[in-house]
Amino acid sequence: MSQRLFVGGEWVEPEDCYAVVDPATEETVGWAPEASQDQVHAACAAAREAFGPWSRTPAEERAAVLARAADIIRSRLVPYAELAQAETGATTGTARGMQVGVGAARFRRYARVEPAEWAIPPQINEAGPMGKAGVMGALAVRQPVGVVTCITSYNNPWANPAGKVAPALAMGNTVVVKPAPQDPLSVYRMAEALAEAGVPRGVVNVVSGRSVEVGEAAVASGDVDMVSFTGSTAVGQRIAEVCGRSMKRQLMELGGKGAAVVFDDADLGSAVSGIGTTFSFYSGQICTAPTRVLAQRGVYDRLVEQLAAHAGRLKVGDPRAPSTVVGPVISAEHRERVESYVELGRKEGAVVVTGGERPALDRGFYVAPTLLADCTNDMRVAREEIFGPVVAVIPFDEEDEGVALANDSDYGLIDYVWSGDVARAFRVARRLRAGGVGVNTVGRNMEAPFGGFRKSGVGRDVGSYALHAYSEVQAIVWPG
């Protein structure tokens, strides 16, 4: 039985459907709906109709809906995580904690919004062009943008959509969610939870499909005021062109090629553990991964040796097995893409220290954790986002050279610095052209602004910044 679309508060039969494949077993997980353009337009129209009443709903009532949704998701953590795991190939811990768990936490976080998070301090001008008689009071307030199309990534079908939907709803917007075609079934479970939590008809809509026309219709619709997109820079650029023609608001979280600058005095254990998450976390399918390692000469050989040893200890295989650390990548096509980059690295002169081969497993789209050494910053493996468990290591001599290499990139999402000299680490962090910098860690603070420089995106979200992203600023003035 095919999953149905969620449009205007109703579960709607699609015009067609397609198989969702488990990347670990290559078996069919379920059948996802393929929306028609008319059904996408109907979803956008439903969101437009629902916007007025929802935006006028008191903030505490909107928050209560989000809180109930969080409780429902939490109560179904195991079955929801099993579905997410089947769709994405995530390990059990990742599916439960980082996917469904974080998704529920994001609904809970935006159910606790304080008015101060979106208020702007009043401003009063002391004298206008007419002197004292021209003094005016001025108040800046935040208003919801309107209808938001949320286009989400395949690597996390819970945390990523929740990070868009929850703050958008908290601010009084309505949404049309277009999930990634590889794993849309989890997003329909999210819509199910929101419907049970009492979200009014039309406030949340979900339409899916493999056809590019589905996403295009959700972006171009005249009923849509804003597009929030997570995905590749190439797709983001095409979306931005469409948004530009009608002046739609945009929030773009795009690709990354995170530089990890490791100095001679770094704690190598910490650096190896952090950089090693590229091999294990989502099998490297994450834009924030430290995939481009810049190692100072004095530590270069030891770092390469220890990274290779770390990669070699990671068990690759069935993500449902408790001992598995590295699961599959999302599809056969993506596996071939990652493997093609490894081969390209060889041709460019990189040394494959470990990995580079397809694991000897009967089924599933697996890529062995791969370490490329002796790279240069002009190699494609060092410049382009591979989105797999592949790390490229580049040597440097002095601090200025390390900073210059880190900044010599089309991307600028998250960079990292490892140094025993904390003052130097923070000095270097301030010089890096990236939206975020981790100092001696790959951890994230989920209240800190998240977004990128250059081709890594436009805008900032998470924490209070997401509330700002999904709002417009309105000025109200009156006689003083």
mmCIF file of all heavy atoms in Angstrom, residues 44 46 51 55 87 159 164 176 179 217 221 240 251 284 296 315 331 351 375 397 411 425 433 448 458:
data_model
loop_
_atom_site.group_PDB
_atom_site.id
_atom_site.type_symbol
_atom_site.label_atom_id
_atom_site.label_comp_id
_atom_site.label_asym_id
_atom_site.label_seq_id
_atom_site.Cartn_x
_atom_site.Cartn_y
_atom_site.Cartn_z
ATOM 1 N N CYS A 44 0.092 24.181 -1.666
ATOM 2 C CA CYS A 44 0.476 25.579 -1.457
ATOM 3 C C CYS A 44 -0.756 26.456 -1.209
ATOM 4 O O CYS A 44 -0.732 27.354 -0.351
ATOM 5 C CB CYS A 44 1.271 26.086 -2.657
ATOM 6 S SG CYS A 44 2.847 25.233 -2.945
ATOM 7 N N ALA A 46 -3.588 25.435 0.075
ATOM 8 C CA ALA A 46 -4.102 25.102 1.405
ATOM 9 C C ALA A 46 -3.305 25.825 2.490
ATOM 10 O O ALA A 46 -3.868 26.321 3.475
ATOM 11 C CB ALA A 46 -4.039 23.589 1.617
ATOM 12 N N PHE A 51 -2.949 30.276 6.502
ATOM 13 C CA PHE A 51 -1.984 31.205 7.101
ATOM 14 C C PHE A 51 -2.641 32.258 7.984
ATOM 15 O O PHE A 51 -2.199 32.497 9.112
ATOM 16 C CB PHE A 51 -1.148 31.884 6.020
ATOM 17 C CG PHE A 51 -0.313 33.017 6.540
ATOM 18 C CD1 PHE A 51 0.712 32.776 7.449
ATOM 19 C CD2 PHE A 51 -0.569 34.332 6.171
ATOM 20 C CE1 PHE A 51 1.475 33.819 7.962
ATOM 21 C CE2 PHE A 51 0.179 35.378 6.674
ATOM 22 C CZ PHE A 51 1.205 35.122 7.575
ATOM 23 N N SER A 55 -1.632 32.424 11.847
ATOM 24 C CA SER A 55 -0.772 33.536 12.267
ATOM 25 C C SER A 55 -1.425 34.366 13.357
ATOM 26 O O SER A 55 -0.728 35.020 14.150
ATOM 27 C CB SER A 55 -0.426 34.421 11.065
ATOM 28 O OG SER A 55 -1.594 35.054 10.548
ATOM 29 N N GLU A 87 15.133 3.658 5.882
ATOM 30 C CA GLU A 87 15.196 4.595 4.753
ATOM 31 C C GLU A 87 16.596 5.112 4.491
ATOM 32 O O GLU A 87 16.968 5.365 3.340
ATOM 33 C CB GLU A 87 14.281 5.791 5.008
ATOM 34 C CG GLU A 87 12.807 5.502 4.946
ATOM 35 C CD GLU A 87 11.994 6.779 4.923
ATOM 36 O OE1 GLU A 87 11.848 7.402 5.994
ATOM 37 O OE2 GLU A 87 11.529 7.154 3.845
ATOM 38 N N ALA A 159 15.610 15.353 11.952
ATOM 39 C CA ALA A 159 16.175 16.581 12.507
ATOM 40 C C ALA A 159 16.102 17.732 11.511
ATOM 41 O O ALA A 159 15.798 18.873 11.889
ATOM 42 C CB ALA A 159 17.622 16.344 12.943
ATOM 43 N N LYS A 164 13.213 23.045 10.423
ATOM 44 C CA LYS A 164 12.537 24.049 9.596
ATOM 45 C C LYS A 164 11.090 24.242 10.046
ATOM 46 O O LYS A 164 10.630 25.364 10.274
ATOM 47 C CB LYS A 164 12.558 23.609 8.128
ATOM 48 C CG LYS A 164 13.946 23.447 7.528
ATOM 49 C CD LYS A 164 13.858 22.936 6.086
ATOM 50 C CE LYS A 164 15.225 22.649 5.487
ATOM 51 N NZ LYS A 164 16.087 23.835 5.403
ATOM 52 N N VAL A 176 4.751 24.000 3.500
ATOM 53 C CA VAL A 176 4.645 22.906 2.533
ATOM 54 C C VAL A 176 6.004 22.227 2.537
ATOM 55 O O VAL A 176 7.012 22.848 2.196
ATOM 56 C CB VAL A 176 4.310 23.416 1.119
ATOM 57 C CG1 VAL A 176 4.294 22.257 0.122
ATOM 58 C CG2 VAL A 176 2.972 24.149 1.115
ATOM 59 N N PRO A 179 9.997 16.574 1.044
ATOM 60 C CA PRO A 179 11.135 15.807 1.548
ATOM 61 C C PRO A 179 12.007 15.266 0.426
ATOM 62 O O PRO A 179 11.595 15.187 -0.740
ATOM 63 C CB PRO A 179 10.482 14.675 2.334
ATOM 64 C CG PRO A 179 9.110 14.547 1.789
ATOM 65 C CD PRO A 179 8.731 15.867 1.196
ATOM 66 N N ALA A 217 7.563 23.119 -8.576
ATOM 67 C CA ALA A 217 6.227 23.651 -8.354
ATOM 68 C C ALA A 217 6.091 24.219 -6.949
ATOM 69 O O ALA A 217 5.453 25.265 -6.741
ATOM 70 C CB ALA A 217 5.185 22.555 -8.593
ATOM 71 N N SER A 221 5.431 28.390 -6.829
ATOM 72 C CA SER A 221 4.038 28.732 -6.557
ATOM 73 C C SER A 221 3.882 30.168 -6.076
ATOM 74 O O SER A 221 4.626 30.642 -5.213
ATOM 75 C CB SER A 221 3.471 27.784 -5.494
ATOM 76 O OG SER A 221 2.214 28.245 -5.031
ATOM 77 N N ALA A 240 17.444 29.573 -5.899
ATOM 78 C CA ALA A 240 17.634 31.011 -5.676
ATOM 79 C C ALA A 240 17.253 31.823 -6.902
ATOM 80 O O ALA A 240 16.715 32.930 -6.783
ATOM 81 C CB ALA A 240 19.084 31.289 -5.281
ATOM 82 N N LEU A 251 16.221 30.809 2.831
ATOM 83 C CA LEU A 251 17.146 30.322 3.843
ATOM 84 C C LEU A 251 17.809 29.104 3.226
ATOM 85 O O LEU A 251 17.146 28.095 2.956
ATOM 86 C CB LEU A 251 16.418 29.946 5.131
ATOM 87 C CG LEU A 251 17.289 29.379 6.264
ATOM 88 C CD1 LEU A 251 18.362 30.371 6.675
ATOM 89 C CD2 LEU A 251 16.440 28.985 7.461
ATOM 90 N N GLY A 284 29.708 9.825 6.463
ATOM 91 C CA GLY A 284 30.290 10.977 5.791
ATOM 92 C C GLY A 284 29.313 11.808 5.002
ATOM 93 O O GLY A 284 29.708 12.802 4.376
ATOM 94 N N GLN A 296 49.870 20.583 10.031
ATOM 95 C CA GLN A 296 51.188 21.211 10.064
ATOM 96 C C GLN A 296 52.269 20.125 9.959
ATOM 97 O O GLN A 296 52.102 19.002 10.426
ATOM 98 C CB GLN A 296 51.350 22.027 11.345
ATOM 99 C CG GLN A 296 52.455 23.055 11.263
ATOM 100 C CD GLN A 296 52.375 24.084 12.382
ATOM 101 O OE1 GLN A 296 51.714 23.872 13.407
ATOM 102 N NE2 GLN A 296 53.048 25.224 12.199
ATOM 103 N N LYS A 315 34.037 -0.736 12.291
ATOM 104 C CA LYS A 315 33.329 -1.839 11.663
ATOM 105 C C LYS A 315 32.309 -1.307 10.666
ATOM 106 O O LYS A 315 31.454 -0.487 10.992
ATOM 107 C CB LYS A 315 32.615 -2.712 12.693
ATOM 108 C CG LYS A 315 31.893 -3.888 12.035
ATOM 109 C CD LYS A 315 31.152 -4.758 13.029
ATOM 110 C CE LYS A 315 30.395 -5.857 12.298
ATOM 111 N NZ LYS A 315 29.600 -6.700 13.214
ATOM 112 N N SER A 331 22.506 5.304 -1.663
ATOM 113 C CA SER A 331 22.056 4.622 -2.878
ATOM 114 C C SER A 331 23.238 4.069 -3.653
ATOM 115 O O SER A 331 24.394 4.444 -3.416
ATOM 116 C CB SER A 331 21.274 5.585 -3.781
ATOM 117 O OG SER A 331 22.134 6.608 -4.273
ATOM 118 N N VAL A 351 47.700 9.695 -2.280
ATOM 119 C CA VAL A 351 48.023 8.348 -1.830
ATOM 120 C C VAL A 351 46.845 7.816 -1.021
ATOM 121 O O VAL A 351 46.423 8.439 -0.038
ATOM 122 C CB VAL A 351 49.298 8.338 -0.970
ATOM 123 C CG1 VAL A 351 49.551 6.940 -0.406
ATOM 124 C CG2 VAL A 351 50.487 8.823 -1.786
ATOM 125 N N CYS A 375 47.806 15.166 -0.418
ATOM 126 C CA CYS A 375 46.953 15.923 -1.326
ATOM 127 C C CYS A 375 47.441 17.366 -1.428
ATOM 128 O O CYS A 375 48.209 17.845 -0.584
ATOM 129 C CB CYS A 375 45.505 15.911 -0.835
ATOM 130 S SG CYS A 375 44.747 14.277 -0.773
ATOM 131 N N ASP A 397 53.054 24.522 6.392
ATOM 132 C CA ASP A 397 54.184 24.862 7.250
ATOM 133 C C ASP A 397 53.813 25.867 8.336
ATOM 134 O O ASP A 397 53.800 25.544 9.505
ATOM 135 C CB ASP A 397 55.342 25.389 6.398
ATOM 136 C CG ASP A 397 55.947 24.293 5.515
ATOM 137 O OD1 ASP A 397 56.355 23.263 6.082
ATOM 138 O OD2 ASP A 397 55.980 24.457 4.291
ATOM 139 N N TYR A 411 33.563 26.906 -0.559
ATOM 140 C CA TYR A 411 32.633 26.724 0.544
ATOM 141 C C TYR A 411 33.103 27.457 1.795
ATOM 142 O O TYR A 411 34.241 27.901 1.880
ATOM 143 C CB TYR A 411 32.485 25.231 0.853
ATOM 144 C CG TYR A 411 31.931 24.437 -0.299
ATOM 145 C CD1 TYR A 411 32.758 23.625 -1.072
ATOM 146 C CD2 TYR A 411 30.576 24.488 -0.619
ATOM 147 C CE1 TYR A 411 32.250 22.890 -2.134
ATOM 148 C CE2 TYR A 411 30.060 23.757 -1.671
ATOM 149 C CZ TYR A 411 30.905 22.952 -2.429
ATOM 150 O OH TYR A 411 30.393 22.231 -3.478
ATOM 151 N N ALA A 425 44.352 29.214 18.727
ATOM 152 C CA ALA A 425 43.197 28.564 18.112
ATOM 153 C C ALA A 425 42.075 29.564 17.867
ATOM 154 O O ALA A 425 41.474 29.584 16.777
ATOM 155 C CB ALA A 425 42.713 27.410 18.992
ATOM 156 N N ARG A 433 37.132 31.985 7.018
ATOM 157 C CA ARG A 433 35.928 32.471 6.342
ATOM 158 C C ARG A 433 34.885 31.348 6.308
ATOM 159 O O ARG A 433 34.645 30.720 5.274
ATOM 160 C CB ARG A 433 36.276 32.952 4.941
ATOM 161 C CG ARG A 433 37.279 34.097 4.891
ATOM 162 C CD ARG A 433 36.669 35.379 5.440
ATOM 163 N NE ARG A 433 35.576 35.838 4.586
ATOM 164 C CZ ARG A 433 34.710 36.774 4.953
ATOM 165 N NH1 ARG A 433 34.790 37.326 6.145
ATOM 166 N NH2 ARG A 433 33.742 37.141 4.132
ATOM 167 N N ALA A 448 23.586 28.190 18.851
ATOM 168 C CA ALA A 448 24.473 29.079 18.104
ATOM 169 C C ALA A 448 23.984 29.197 16.659
ATOM 170 O O ALA A 448 23.412 28.256 16.110
ATOM 171 C CB ALA A 448 25.901 28.540 18.122
ATOM 172 N N VAL A 458 22.905 30.886 2.536
ATOM 173 C CA VAL A 458 22.410 32.235 2.787
ATOM 174 C C VAL A 458 21.543 32.180 4.038
ATOM 175 O O VAL A 458 20.606 31.382 4.112
ATOM 176 C CB VAL A 458 21.568 32.760 1.606
ATOM 177 C CG1 VAL A 458 21.000 34.141 1.931
ATOM 178 C CG2 VAL A 458 22.391 32.796 0.324
#
